[in-house]
Amino acid sequence: MYVVLSMVLIIVGGVMIGNPRLFYDITESWKHNRSVEPSDWYVFHTRLGGVFFLVVGVVGVVILLFF
């Protein structure tokens, strides 16, 4: 169960780092009536959050596999 959760965190973190505009389209674009691009600040914070997700996912996999 926890391995699956860790893998989900790794995948979501990878999307947040690699393509923050896709993450924006999925999570935030529906809140606007017009086509709005995410700000540079949003992109930075999304990538930062992706790094945290990725690290937590990798640590979770390592802990579950080796302990």
Side-chain angles (χ1 to χ4, degrees):
M1 170 87 172
Y2 290 115
V3 173
V4 173
L5 179 60
S6 295
M7 296 305 291
V8 168
L9 286 173
I10 290 170
I11 292 169
V12 171
V15 170
M16 290 171 73
I17 293 169
N19 196 352
R21 284 176 175 73
L22 173 65
F23 189 76
Y24 175 82
D25 288 340
I26 294 170
T27 61
E28 300 291 329
S29 65
W30 62 272
K31 296 178 184 177
H32 304 286
N33 290 334
R34 53 191 162 88
S35 177
V36 179
E37 288 292 317
S39 67
D40 292 337
W41 196 243
Y42 178 86
V43 170
F44 171 74
H45 278 97
T46 301
R47 285 191 171 139
L48 185 63
V51 169
F52 288 129
F53 272 47
L54 193 64
V55 168
V56 169
V58 169
V59 168
V61 168
V62 169
I63 287 174
L64 291 171
L65 291 179
F66 292 111
F67 295 106

